[in-house]
Amino acid sequence: MAMMRSLIAGCGGYLPERCVPNAALAAEFGIETSDEWIVERTGIRQRHIAAPGETASAMGSAAARQALERAGIEVSAVDAIIVATATPDSAFPATAVRIQQQLGITRGFAFDIAAACTGFVYALSVADAMIRTGQARCALVIGTEVFSRILDWTDRGTCVLFGDGAGAVVVTAGEGEGKSTDRGILSTHLHSDGRHGDILLVDGGAGSTGGTGLLRMAGKEVFRHAVSKLAAVVDEALAANGLGHGDIRWLVPHQANLRIIEAMGRKLNLPRERVVVTVGQHANTSAASIPLALADAAGRGMIERGDLVALEAIGGGLTWGAALVRF
Ligand code: ACO
């Protein structure tokens, strides 16, 4: 039976110019840490940090432009912009509307989604639903973050883990037969559980403290939830499509920590070379990490037409989710 499918037509990324290797955190930022400690525990080797005045919207616009260019789609075709960010330029206008303006788009609609590191999977899920119900035909789905501005630079347990950047995908309306061999987003699976809200949070906000607050994390607790919840949600996605571990061509995980990523690869019986890993170069860019990793893999020509790609993420909330996409 013919049905609407949302196709990923192109992926783009943007990283701020300034790249800070681990060693510079000790030497220049005065943080009591070492390259060895960070690499051994997280796999992170460097992160990019936004320039003063460089915003989530500016970075998101740059990533969107690259995604549109790679897709061969004109800006004028875009009728929806959905931005996942925990570091918006301001409470409003939404970062998505600022990006709409920066791209010179005056039709359609644009709005933000807040689901921390899972934000991109949430945004992709919303875009997919809107495309399949005919509310949009060409959506930009963007993850963009300037976490450097919400880090406590005196807390070495968190400030070494994050970086700034943006990633974007162009999602267009297509057709399929309702089968797992269709091209496009096969399904998305979202979860949240607010009982764990205090293990990863920003401790302030416009509506509570009046300020922005800083990121706080109980790292071990987050780690404990991550692997089991991520493995379960990917299995849920595969089962919903009658697929198994062996059908996954690429795992594009949220890039928080190499140990979590490797544990996921083992749980899914995937050889290392089937897992896209960018955490070493980008660190954790929260909602930007999956689209940045997708853009990186696509830019290297790794993902081919027909490949089944599994996306998964977990973040503050807790929120977690997965998507299966056939390119
Ligand atoms: N450099 C050097 N030493 C450090 C640093 C640092 N940057 N940070 C902490 N330490 C020290 C601590 O002070 C402690 O020293 P002590 O034993 O003398 O007290 C020691 O290292 C161990 O600290 P822990 O916090 O217990 O370190 P742990 O082994 O738990 O590793 C880490 C911390 C890497 C954050 C780990 O818990 C983790 O990977 N958690 C997963 C969470 C994650 O990746 N979150 C990312 C954001 S969430 C998301 O995106 C899903």
Side-chain angles (χ1 to χ4, degrees), residues 180-186 243 247-251 274 294 297 301-310 324-327:
S180 65
T181 49
D182 286 352
R183 288 187 66 218
I185 298 172
L186 299 184
L243 296 168
D247 294 304
I248 298 176
R249 184 72 176 162
W250 298 103
L251 175 68
R274 292 280 152 223
L294 274 174
M302 286 160 68
I303 302 174
E304 292 176 355
R305 202 182 165 115
D307 282 357
L308 182 71
V309 179
L324 283 184
V325 186
R326 195 174 295 286
F327 272 70

Side-chain angles (χ1 to χ4, degrees), residues 31-34 37-38 41-42 117 156-158 160-162 200 217-223 226 254-257 259-260 284 286 314-316:
I31 298 162
E32 224 181 293
T33 189
S34 66
W37 193 96
I38 300 171
R41 308 274 175 133
T42 71
C117 297
R156 66 178 181 173
T158 54
V160 304
L161 304 175
F162 296 89
L200 177 53
M217 178 176 73
K220 278 195 176 60
E221 286 292 297
V222 174
F223 202 113
H254 168 49
Q255 308 283 323
N257 182 307
R259 289 188 299 163
I260 297 175
N284 183 347
S286 190
I314 184 166

